[in-house]
Amino acid sequence: MLPRHVAVVMDGNGRWANKRHLPRAAGHKAGVNATRKIVENCAKKGVEALTIFAFSSENWNRPESEVSSLMSLFVSTITAEVKKLHKKNVRVCFIGDRSRFSAKLQQSIAESEELTRDNTGLQLNIAANYGGRWDIVNACRQLAAAVRDGSVALDDIDEQLFDSSVCLSEMPAPDLFIRTGGEQRISNFLIWQLAYSELYFVDTLWPDFSDDDFEASLDWYAGRQRRFGKTGQQLIDDQAMQSN
Ligand code: FPP
């Protein structure tokens, strides 16, 4: 089965560049090519949503020169790619706190969202200055404010309502999480939304992540039995009931 929503931590750009004695920025640039490929593949295959971690809230701690080269890369990439994405019916959305970005980057973000907002193909969510804990705290603030102004009762707060207050609540949670670069951690990505995702870790560095590598991750996913807390036998019984 094809995942409806794929989430990706695109790790390994820096190491890819180091191996070639290139500046880290060259690794990020090469990473854009791999990003383009996975976006095209998802759009072609009919994946509903792809969420990529472009810049975490913690990435501000990198050397200033790397942060500024990443920011320029974001502006140039968005400007160069958004029209092509629009032609492919891709809807582009950003999640994260964009207020810390330059006016120019905020404008590129807003324009790309505006241009593609009515598209009905793949939804590409770009997490930029995003952190899973930030997302959860934000949801808490929204709900606390709603309780304070009386529009929500404290007893009404349950998982479903909380879920509707975090980012990406309008779409199914990621079915498949992919992390390249060999590390096996979530790194404060969609920590609420990944609760039941299948986690796929691969050593390949992001710029080397090919169509075949993506295909391999989809094959691996297709072989998973998603139990959501149930037993394997219950799932077999559920399936039999559905086909009757
Ligand atoms: C992690 O690799 C990668 C990033 C922090 C940046 C990812 C960004 C892109 C691929 C550009 C995408 C562009 C847009 C507009 C969506 P790393 O630097 O941590 O690698 P390392 O672990 O080898 O050092």
Side-chain angles (χ1 to χ4, degrees):
M1 216 172 41
L2 189 70
R4 294 177 67 187
H5 184 175
V6 178
V8 187
V9 173
M10 312 178 286
D11 197 15
N13 295 345
R15 278 165 286 162
W16 184 93
N18 280 345
K19 272 172 52 179
R20 290 163 178 75
H21 309 289
L22 293 167
R24 292 177 60 84
H28 296 311
K29 207 168 162 201
V32 172
N33 296 331
T35 309
R36 191 182 299 112
K37 275 193 284 195
I38 197 172
V39 172
E40 280 170 8
N41 272 323
C42 285
K44 217 162 36 192
K45 286 176 185 295
V47 171
E48 290 169 42
L50 171 67
T51 303
I52 55 174
F53 210 1
F55 193 83
S56 77
S57 338
E58 292 73 32
N59 285 150
W60 294 109
N61 297 326
R62 294 195 171 199
E64 210 182 304
S65 58
E66 181 170 347
V67 171
S68 90
S69 71
L70 268 170
M71 294 299 142
S72 318
L73 182 68
F74 291 151
V75 175
S76 61
T77 306
I78 297 168
T79 313
E81 303 288 333
V82 73
K83 287 196 191 84
K84 289 185 258 175
L85 292 171
H86 183 46
K87 275 198 191 127
K88 295 193 167 94
N89 198 22
V90 174
R91 181 164 185 251
V92 180
C93 295
F94 283 78
I95 57 169
D97 179 6
R98 56 186 79 177
S99 66
R100 202 171 155 185
F101 291 137
S102 68
K104 196 170 169 191
L105 181 50
Q106 287 190 47
Q107 196 188 342
S108 307
I109 289 174
E111 282 171 7
S112 65
E113 288 182 329
E114 181 58 33
L115 178 69
T116 62
R117 66 188 294 168
D118 295 325
N119 289 347
T120 54
L122 173 72
Q123 172 147 340
L124 172 62
N125 304 303
I126 302 174
N129 195 18
Y130 173 88
R133 290 180 177 172
W134 166 86
D135 194 0
I136 290 170
V137 170
N138 231 9
C140 290
R141 278 172 178 264
Q142 275 177 44
L143 289 171
V147 169
R148 189 184 52 194
D149 72 22
S151 55
V152 168
L154 188 56
D155 286 346
D156 289 342
I157 298 181
D158 56 10
E159 287 187 22
Q160 209 183 344
L161 187 63
F162 196 89
D163 193 67
S164 66
S165 309
V166 294
C167 291
L168 308 181
S169 59
E170 67 287 4
M171 65 189 63
D175 303 294
L176 171 63
F177 164 93
I178 300 172
R179 180 175 185 139
T180 60
E183 307 293 353
Q184 303 203 351
R185 52 179 174 252
I186 309 275
S187 296
N188 198 21
F189 196 21
L190 303 157
I191 48 181
W192 171 273
Q193 297 86 339
L194 290 172
Y196 278 102
S197 308
E198 299 295 330
L199 308 179
Y200 183 81
F201 299 99
V202 63
D203 289 338
T204 312
L205 304 174
W206 180 247
D208 292 328
F209 192 76
S210 64
D211 295 349
D212 286 349
D213 291 321
F214 183 47
E215 212 56 57
S217 76
L218 294 177
D219 286 348
W220 175 85
Y221 173 80
R224 306 300 303 163
Q225 185 188 54
R226 305 194 70 201
R227 292 203 285 270
F228 298 99
K230 291 186 174 183
T231 66
Q233 189 55 49
Q234 280 176 301
L235 294 183
I236 293 167
D237 296 345
D238 286 353
Q239 253 176 5
M241 288 260 285
Q242 275 166 20
S243 59
N244 279 338

